[in-house]
C-alpha cells in the first residue's frame, strides 16, 4: 500500500500541515492511515490537536495501544531515519515495510535529504509542498538533484498558502501550473484559521469547519487518491 | 470562527462567506525575473533549454524576414524613409520567448 512521502526542498512551506491534513482527509474517506513524523521538530502532532509535551509512540519500539487521532495512527519516526536496521531493510530487496492495506504518510524535514533518498524508492508518490514565495520557487531547482524538476514523474506538487488577492501569488500559481502541468495536484488557500487552530490545539476541521483551506484539502485528498490509482473505499461510499 | 466574523455574517443574513477568486489568464501572467531565471535553469527544465534557444533563433529569423519595419537612415529625410533598405528587426521582448517556451511546456505536459 502507498507510502506518500511529503518532502519539500524548502522548509516553512507547510509540509507538516499538508501531511497531517492529507492523513486526516484520507482517513475520513475510509482509508486506514498512519502518519509518520520523521522530523526532529516533532510538530506534525500539532495539527492533530496534540500538546507539545505529549509523546508519540515510536514506530519500531511501541507496543500496546496506538495513538489514534481523527482516525489517523500517529507514530514518531525521527530516530528511525538513522536506525541501521531500518536502513538495511529499506536498502535490501526484502518486502517493503510499507506493504499492506494502509496509507503511510511520511513527514520529512526539508534538510533531511538522507532519509528522503532512503524512502523515495519505496514511495508511491512524492508530495512536494510549495508556497508562492521566491524562496520556495527557487527551491524548484533542488526537488530531486540530478533530475530536472519537469521530468519528475513520481512527484506531485501542492501550492500551499495561495492568496489570489496578491499578484505574485496568482502568477506563481499560473507559472507552476504551466511548468509541471497536472503534476500540480492542488492548491490550498491561505487561511489564518490554520494557525489559530494550531495555537488552540484543535484540528482545523473542528476549529474552523468553514475554512477555505479545509475545502481545498478535501479536494486534495481526492486528487491524491487518483494519483495513487485508488478510488473511494466502500466505507466512504456508504 | 471569530466572534466579529460570526456577527458580521449574522448582520448580512448569511451562514458563510462566498470567496471571490481572482484568476489570471495565462496571457496576463507577468514574467517575473524569478520565473525567467527558473526557465533558464537546467536543474528545473533540463535539456529543453536548447529547444528554447532554437525557438528564439527561429522566432527572430521569422520576425526579421516578415515583420521588420523599414529602418529610417539616420541622415535621410522622412519622405524617403519608405524607400530605405530594411534594417535589423526590432528586438523581440525576451518575455515573449519565455512565455512561448512555458506554453510549449504546458502543451507537452497536457499531451
Amino acid at each position: 500500500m502507498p507510502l506518500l512521502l511529503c518532502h519539500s526542498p524548502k522548509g516553512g512551506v507547510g509540509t507538516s500541515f499538508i501531511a497531517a491534513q492529507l492523513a486526516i482527509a484520507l482517513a475520513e474517506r475510509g482509508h486506514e492511515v498512519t502518519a509518520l513524523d520523521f522530523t526532529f521538530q516533532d510538530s506534525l502532532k500539532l495539527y492533530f490537536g496534540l500538546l507539545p509535551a505529549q509523546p508519540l509512540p515510536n514506530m519500531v519500539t511501541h507496543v500496546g495501544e496506538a495513538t489514534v487521532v481523527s482516525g489517523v495512527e500517529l507514530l514518531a519516526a525521527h530516530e528511525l531515519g538513522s536506525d541501521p536496521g531500518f536502513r538495511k531493510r529499506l536498502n535490501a530487496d526484502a518486502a517493503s515495510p510499507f506493504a499492506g492495506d494502509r496509507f503511510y504518510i511520511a513527514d520529512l524535514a526539508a534538510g533531511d535529504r538522507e532519509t528522503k533518498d532512503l524512502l523515495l524508492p519505496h514511495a508511491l508518490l512524492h508530495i512536494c509542498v510549495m508556497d508562492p514565495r521566491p524562496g520556495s520557487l527557487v527551491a524548484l531547482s533542488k526537488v530531486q538533484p540530478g533530475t530536472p524538476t519537469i521530468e519528475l514523474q513520481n512527484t506531485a506538487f501542492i501550492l500551499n498558502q495561495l492568496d489570489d488577492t496578491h499578484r505574485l501569488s496568482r502568477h506563481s500559481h499560473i507559472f507552476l501550473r504551466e511548468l509541471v502541468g497536472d503534476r500540480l495536484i492542488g492548491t490550498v488557500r491561505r487561511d489564518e484559521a490554520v494557525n489559530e487552530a494550531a495555537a488552540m490545539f484543535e484540528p482545523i476541521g473542528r476549529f474552523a469547519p468553514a475554512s477555505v483551506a479545509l475545502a481545498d484539502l478535501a479536494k486534495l485528498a481526492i486528487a491524491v487518491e487518483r494519483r495513487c490509482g485508488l478510488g473511494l473505499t466502500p466505507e466512504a461510499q456508504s | 470562527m471569530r466572534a466579529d466574523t460570526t456577527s458580521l455574517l449574522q448582520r448580512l443574513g448569511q451562514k458563510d462567506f462566498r470567496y471571490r477568486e481572482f484568476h489570471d489568464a495565462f496571457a496576463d501572467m507577468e514574467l517575473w525575473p524569478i520565473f525567467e531565471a527558473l526557465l533558464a535553469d537546467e536543474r528545473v527544465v533540463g535539456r529543453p533549454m536548447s529547444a528554447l534557444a532554437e525557438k528564439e533563433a527561429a522566432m527572430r529569423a521569422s520576425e526579421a524576414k516578415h515583420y521588420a519595419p523599414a529602418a529610417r537612415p539616420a541622415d535621410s529625410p522622412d519622405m524617403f524613409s519608405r524607400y530605405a533598405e530594411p534594417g535589423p528587426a526590432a528586438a523581440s521582448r525576451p518575455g515573449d520567448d519565455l512565455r512561448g517556451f512555458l506554453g510549449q511546456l504546458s502543451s507537452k505536459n497536457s499531451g
Side-chain angles (χ1 to χ4, degrees):
Chain A
M1 199 61 171
L3 167 66
L4 303 181
L5 184 57
C6 298
H7 177 267
S8 167
K10 174 75 175 71
V13 294
T15 302
S16 295
F17 167 70
I18 294 292
Q21 297 306 323
L22 203 50
I24 293 170
L26 286 169
E28 282 174 354
R29 290 179 63 75
H31 299 285
E32 290 188 338
V33 183
T34 297
L36 305 169
D37 189 347
F38 279 90
T39 72
F40 174 71
Q41 292 89 341
D42 197 21
S43 58
L44 184 69
K45 62 188 175 189
L46 189 64
Y47 300 106
F48 289 87
L50 299 185
L51 301 173
Q54 213 162 337
L56 290 183
N58 185 288
M59 184 177 172
V60 175
T61 58
H62 89 282
V63 285
E65 290 198 6
T67 299
V68 178
V69 184
S70 302
V72 178
E73 181 186 27
L74 289 171
L75 292 172
H78 175 243
E79 293 167 6
L80 198 61
S82 53
D83 181 83
F86 183 67
R87 301 185 76 84
K88 193 176 172 185
R89 181 166 175 195
L90 285 182
N91 287 324
D93 292 331
S96 169
F98 303 107
D101 290 334
R102 173 173 283 273
F103 263 108
Y104 288 91
I105 298 182
D107 175 30
L108 268 72
D112 192 2
R113 287 269 316 284
E114 204 178 349
T115 305
K116 186 218 167 186
D117 290 342
L118 183 72
L119 293 174
L120 192 60
H122 298 270
L124 185 63
L125 190 62
H126 165 217
I127 293 174
C128 179
V129 181
M130 301 187 59
D131 70 17
R133 295 177 192 161
S136 177
L137 292 171
V138 295
L140 270 172
S141 62
K142 303 206 168 177
V143 178
Q144 183 60 47
T147 307
T149 303
I150 62 165
E151 293 175 12
L152 295 171
Q153 299 303 322
N154 200 33
T155 298
F157 295 85
I158 294 170
L159 188 57
N160 188 30
Q161 303 207 45
L162 179 65
D163 188 339
D164 282 341
T165 62
H166 293 154
R167 228 160 31 109
L168 180 59
S169 187
R170 289 197 307 274
H171 296 169
S172 298
H173 181 198
I174 300 170
F175 175 79
L176 196 60
R177 193 180 63 210
E178 299 298 324
L179 187 73
V180 300
D182 61 3
R183 278 165 284 164
L184 175 64
I185 59 168
T187 56
V188 179
R189 283 169 283 182
R190 200 176 83 79
D191 188 352
E192 185 58 16
V194 168
N195 291 326
E196 292 175 353
M200 295 289 286
F201 297 117
E202 282 190 36
I204 179 81
R206 192 185 310 151
F207 178 78
S211 165
V212 283
L214 209 54
D216 294 337
L217 290 159
K219 289 183 196 163
L220 199 57
I222 296 170
V224 167
E225 276 180 342
R226 285 185 183 146
R227 279 299 300 238
C228 294
L230 299 168
L232 211 57
T233 65
E235 291 86 352
Q237 282 172 331
S238 59
Chain B
M1 192 177 289
R2 282 170 29 170
D4 54 348
T5 310
T6 312
S7 163
L8 176 63
L9 284 172
Q10 279 174 351
R11 278 192 286 159
L12 292 170
Q14 292 181 2
K15 288 182 180 174
D16 196 3
F17 286 112
R18 195 173 52 179
Y19 290 86
R20 181 178 167 191
E21 295 187 5
F22 298 84
H23 284 303
D24 277 20
F26 174 56
D28 297 331
M29 182 187 76
E30 289 171 39
L31 277 167
W32 296 70
I34 194 169
F35 298 164
E36 296 190 30
L38 288 167
L39 290 175
D41 191 331
E42 286 194 5
R43 296 170 300 173
V44 177
V45 296
R47 291 295 175 195
M49 275 316 294
S50 58
L52 171 63
E54 280 175 24
K55 188 175 183 305
E56 279 183 343
M59 282 179 71
R60 290 207 170 104
S62 173
E63 283 173 359
K65 192 174 176 184
H66 299 292
Y67 305 113
R72 183 169 61 116
D75 55 353
S76 299
D78 281 349
M79 62 183 295
F80 297 116
S81 62
R82 73 183 68 178
Y83 303 111
E85 286 296 313
S92 61
R93 290 189 305 159
D96 290 342
D97 296 337
L98 290 165
R99 193 190 301 277
F101 177 57
L102 200 53
Q104 276 188 333
L105 275 182
S106 177
S107 48
K108 199 169 141 188
N109 281 327
S110 59

